Amino acid sequence: MGHAFDEIYRVLKPGGYAVDIRPFRPAGTGSCRSGRPQITCIGNQCNTSVGALQQKADDFRYADRLLASRLRPKDQLQLLVHQTFYVAWYCRSFEVFDHFVSTEWQSLTLGQVDRHRIQAMTRQDSSIQIRIDMPVQMNVMQRIS
Amino acid sequence: MRGVRCDPERREARCLKRYVPWQDARVLEIGCGDGRVTRKMAHQVHAMVGIDINKEYIIKAHRTRLRRLQDKIRFLIASAVTLPFSDKAFDVVVLSWSY
């Protein structure tokens, strides 16, 4: 990602915008669940929070530090906006959810307790969808010179 | 992926549109994957190039490219550390879910 910033600067026109959009791990959340992608079973009657995906914080911290190092005053990119929000994925069954997480998001894992809970719920009601709410950050930067 | 809907609430697209002038811009998306973000933003821009180092993703992006946007979108296999473009070629560069 470090060399990528050099290349981004090179191919951007002066005054052009660089947008960095990626998963967000709130500072200080450590290993607690609140900072992780949340999983909810969506049924006809109610929505039930069933757990969270586990992820390594190191990758996120590295990218955050790298971005910060590129935004010091001497550098040529200026941070205009930092915003956090949630992006939701909806999976129509447990099998789809399991396949999706294991193939598309290899840095995330599902704990055994949460797995059993989701499986049990989807067995009881096959119409249940599984929603993943991923915390996301967007940083908008502008090339100064 | 079949059976998966991503961001039907369009939060990501809304957030992207809010702060960046996309109209008639030349846009590069780094780490475009299967072109999910590219497809969302392409209708507003002048031209959009999506690159990814993963060949399978680029094949999938080509396959799912919208016909009406064919002239605007290009997908290439390329690395972010050696971008195959000239200096100052783009108005907007999106580093998409790459960390």
Side-chain angles (χ1 to χ4, degrees):
Chain A
M1 193 172 168
H3 293 299
F5 271 112
D6 294 336
E7 282 292 87
I8 288 169
Y9 178 78
R10 183 180 67 76
V11 301
L12 256 185
K13 291 177 183 172
Y17 294 84
V19 183
D20 164 39
I21 185 164
R22 60 191 153 88
F24 177 59
R25 185 78 181 261
T29 53
S31 59
C32 72
R33 283 175 170 246
S34 62
R36 299 188 207 154
Q38 301 293 312
I39 308 167
T40 307
C41 283
I42 312 286
N44 290 329
Q45 303 299 325
C46 62
N47 300 343
T48 311
S49 176
V50 288
L53 290 166
Q54 297 167 4
Q55 60 191 159
K56 286 185 203 162
D58 296 356
D59 294 343
F60 298 90
R61 296 283 175 262
Y62 173 68
D64 287 346
R65 281 197 300 272
L66 201 57
L67 179 66
S69 75
R70 296 288 159 153
L71 296 172
R72 286 185 300 232
K74 71 178 179 62
D75 290 311
Q76 296 101 339
L77 288 173
Q78 178 186 23
L79 182 66
L80 300 180
V81 176
H82 169 79
Q83 187 162 359
T84 59
F85 54 97
Y86 282 86
V87 173
W89 275 260
Y90 292 80
C91 304
R92 72 175 174 208
S93 67
F94 175 77
E95 288 71 28
V96 170
F97 165 79
D98 200 28
H99 181 63
F100 177 67
V101 171
S102 60
T103 56
E104 298 287 323
W105 287 340
Q106 287 159 10
S107 64
L108 299 173
T109 52
L110 181 64
Q112 284 302 314
V113 174
D114 291 347
R115 172 182 294 273
H116 291 317
R117 200 179 294 151
I118 299 167
Q119 273 180 317
M121 289 193 77
T122 50
R123 258 191 231 117
Q124 280 178 0
D125 181 354
S126 61
S127 70
I128 278 176
Q129 288 188 71
I130 300 155
R131 188 179 76 209
I132 309 161
D133 289 302
M134 172 72 84
V136 172
Q137 63 175 310
M138 187 183 75
N139 302 294
V140 179
M141 295 153 278
Q142 189 169 28
R143 180 177 162 161
I144 298 164
S145 57
Chain B
M1 184 177 286
R2 195 177 289 271
V4 180
R5 286 184 301 142
C6 175
D7 195 23
E9 299 89 356
R10 299 184 62 80
R11 287 185 194 138
E12 186 182 33
R14 275 208 305 268
C15 211
L16 281 166
K17 283 175 188 169
R18 192 174 302 154
Y19 299 108
V20 179
W22 299 90
Q23 207 67 41
D24 298 325
R26 299 179 66 84
V27 181
L28 169 66
E29 187 192 359
I30 297 171
C32 67
D34 64 2
R36 181 177 62 80
V37 175
T38 319
R39 285 192 299 275
K40 276 183 190 167
M41 307 311 296
H43 62 282
Q44 297 190 51
V45 306
H46 174 71
M48 194 151 184
V49 182
I51 67 161
D52 203 292
I53 203 158
N54 188 322
K55 185 182 174 184
E56 285 176 24
Y57 278 137
I58 293 297
I59 291 169
K60 196 173 173 186
H62 270 290
R63 209 183 302 138
T64 54
R65 186 171 55 170
L66 298 173
R67 189 168 291 177
R68 65 188 161 82
L69 297 173
Q70 266 183 1
D71 297 337
K72 282 190 176 185
I73 302 177
R74 275 196 306 152
F75 290 109
L76 304 171
I77 302 165
S79 164
V81 297
T82 50
L83 295 173
F85 307 106
S86 57
D87 295 358
K88 303 174 185 173
F90 295 97
D91 302 294
V92 179
V93 177
V94 181
L95 193 59
S96 197
W97 295 74
S98 306
Y99 55 96

